Amino acid sequence: MTLEPIAELQARFGQQGAISFAERLGGLVALLDWGGAQSVVALQGAQVLSYEAAGYGEVLWLSPEARLGTGKAVRGGIPICWPWFGPHPQGGDGPAHGFVRTRPWRVVSAHADENGTRLTLAPDGPPAHPAWPHTAELSLEIVLGTSLTLSLSTRNTGASPFALTQALHSYFLVQDISAAEVDGLQHVVFIDQLDPGALKSESGLVRIAGEVDRIYQDVIRPITIIDGSDRRIVIQSHGSASAVVWNPWIEKAARLGDMGEGGYRRLVCVETANAGADVITLAPGARHTLTAIIAALGR
Ligand code: TA6
């Protein structure tokens, strides 16, 4: 890693005490600070790798094996799944969860003030793939303040409509999965990905004691992760009617092989999405923004 890009980014976008750039995990990252909170954002995939909330510690889980520049998506933080969630919708040969999370992104703008520290990123080049015959503008705005807000905006720049599914695939850090609960999804119908196509719902809190992979539909309320005895993580969304709850548990974590020893016990994914039946059809010229607002609070 040459230091030149860092120096250039620092000169163009750095702001004392709020925005700086460095090399971490073998790649370029932006370091954001505001009011005692910090966040680390990789330029690869515009992937938030860390969010330390003021007074509540690290909010996101990141694999101890995370490395940038390997050509593989980094396990943890908040990967960007776009322009499809899950496998390629037409069975094409595009990668799972789309193709932008391993691509280089560039800094469009950066600014800090009394309301927060704001960083806007866009793919470094048009977001294109042989398995996706469309054109679009894509950007991610990250605001670090009393919470962490991500807004992923897509504008159809082509002449025909296209269907978009996507997710901010957030990996949240919990003390231990056995003491974690997910609140706010009571009576919400979900697609059980482990029982293909089955529609189910539950009456209470989501507790995890095995592999869970669910696409909740018609989600209208904030979702809260109760993290043991002293912390809650609240996820609000805009531009989203679905949410994914995922924990790989033991066997799938072993198959994935990049979560570290017992890593599955420290994470629960609650993903702010347009997934399942929540498909966005973008007309030419139209724009859609998917927003997640993440806050850490006491119990
Ligand atoms: O969001 C849940 C999920 O779709 C799971 O099925 C699992 O595949 C997970 O995403 C991780 O996918 P990845 O491609 O990042 O390994």
Side-chain angles (χ1 to χ4, degrees), residues 97-173:
H97 290 327
F99 53 84
V100 296
R101 59 179 175 163
T102 54
R103 294 274 179 89
W105 289 53
R106 61 185 172 79
V107 179
V108 172
S109 65
H111 176 71
D113 59 26
E114 67 280 5
N115 299 311
T117 294
R118 189 181 303 264
L119 178 73
T120 300
L121 303 164
D124 193 7
H129 190 282
W132 194 67
H134 306 291
T135 60
E137 279 171 0
L138 180 65
S139 67
L140 178 70
E141 180 191 67
I142 300 165
V143 182
L144 176 67
T146 54
S147 55
L148 180 72
T149 299
L150 282 74
S151 296
L152 184 67
S153 290
T154 303
R155 190 170 75 85
N156 181 349
T157 56
S160 55
F162 62 71
L164 172 66
T165 57
Q166 57 186 345
L168 300 168
H169 192 300
S170 307
Y171 287 74
F172 292 101
L173 179 67

Side-chain angles (χ1 to χ4, degrees), residues 19 136 234 253 285:
I19 302 164
V234 181

Side-chain angles (χ1 to χ4, degrees), residues 4 7 9 37 46 52-53 65 74 89 92 128 140 143 147 155 170 192 197 200-201 229 254 257 269 271 279 285 297:
E4 186 187 321
L9 286 164
E52 293 231 14
E65 301 175 18
V74 169
L140 178 70
V143 182
S147 55
R155 190 170 75 85
S170 307
D192 186 348
K200 304 176 182 177
S201 74
S229 58
C269 284
E271 304 156 40
V279 178
L297 305 167

Side-chain angles (χ1 to χ4, degrees), residues 25-27 42-47 49 62-63 65-76 79-80 95-104 171 252-260:
L25 304 178
L43 294 199
Q44 173 184 303
Q47 188 161 345
L49 301 179
L62 183 69
S63 171
E65 301 175 18
R67 288 294 296 167
L68 293 164
T70 66
K72 281 186 64 184
V74 169
R75 180 75 58 200
I80 305 291
H97 290 327
F99 53 84
V100 296
R101 59 179 175 163
T102 54
R103 294 274 179 89
Y171 287 74
K252 180 146 190 182
R255 288 199 304 275
L256 292 171
D258 58 3
M259 306 190 94

Side-chain angles (χ1 to χ4, degrees), residues 1-291:
M1 163 76 48
T2 67
L3 294 182
E4 186 187 321
I6 295 175
E8 184 187 337
L9 286 164
Q10 199 63 39
R12 291 185 62 198
F13 303 107
Q15 194 167 328
Q16 181 70 29
I19 302 164
S20 60
F21 297 86
E23 187 267 324
R24 294 281 190 284
L25 304 178
L28 271 178
V29 298
L31 305 174
L32 309 182
D33 285 83
W34 191 89
Q38 287 89 31
S39 183
V40 179
V41 183
L43 294 199
Q44 173 184 303
Q47 188 161 345
V48 176
L49 301 179
S50 168
Y51 166 39
E52 293 231 14
Y56 292 101
E58 180 59 63
V59 176
L60 301 175
W61 177 87
L62 183 69
S63 171
E65 301 175 18
R67 288 294 296 167
L68 293 164
T70 66
K72 281 186 64 184
V74 169
R75 180 75 58 200
I78 307 178
I80 305 291
C81 303
W82 187 95
W84 59 80
F85 177 82
H88 185 280
Q90 285 82 39
D93 64 357
H97 290 327
F99 53 84
V100 296
R101 59 179 175 163
T102 54
R103 294 274 179 89
W105 289 53
R106 61 185 172 79
V107 179
V108 172
S109 65
H111 176 71
D113 59 26
E114 67 280 5
N115 299 311
T117 294
R118 189 181 303 264
L119 178 73
T120 300
L121 303 164
D124 193 7
H129 190 282
W132 194 67
H134 306 291
T135 60
E137 279 171 0
L138 180 65
S139 67
L140 178 70
E141 180 191 67
I142 300 165
V143 182
L144 176 67
T146 54
S147 55
L148 180 72
T149 299
L150 282 74
S151 296
L152 184 67
S153 290
T154 303
R155 190 170 75 85
N156 181 349
T157 56
S160 55
F162 62 71
L164 172 66
T165 57
Q166 57 186 345
L168 300 168
H169 192 300
S170 307
Y171 287 74
F172 292 101
L173 179 67
V174 294
Q175 293 167 51
D176 188 87
I177 196 65
S178 62
E181 298 169 317
V182 180
D183 191 10
L185 293 167
Q186 288 87 336
H187 312 303
V188 177
V189 170
F190 63 87
I191 302 166
D192 186 348
Q193 300 274 74
L194 304 178
D195 183 5
L199 288 179
K200 304 176 182 177
S201 74
E202 68 216 291
S203 55
L205 297 167
V206 179
R207 293 186 181 90
I208 294 170
E211 184 179 355
V212 168
D213 193 345
R214 303 174 178 178
I215 304 176
Y216 286 84
Q217 304 289 273
D218 304 317
V219 176
I220 54 173
R221 290 177 293 162
I223 299 171
T224 300
I225 298 168
I226 300 165
D227 175 19
S229 58
D230 57 7
R231 182 167 85 160
R232 286 176 297 141
I233 301 168
V234 181
I235 303 110
Q236 298 177 72
S237 67
H238 299 293
S240 163
S242 51
V244 180
V245 175
W246 177 60
N247 183 288
W249 209 248
I250 301 167
E251 287 76 21
K252 180 146 190 182
R255 288 199 304 275
L256 292 171
D258 58 3
M259 306 190 94
E261 182 62 33
Y264 74 95
R265 299 203 63 88
R266 299 300 313 276
L267 71 95
V268 59
C269 284
V270 176
E271 304 156 40
T272 306
N274 297 120
D278 178 20
V279 178
I280 304 297
T281 299
L282 267 190
R287 176 190 301 276
H288 180 79
T289 298
L290 174 67
T291 297

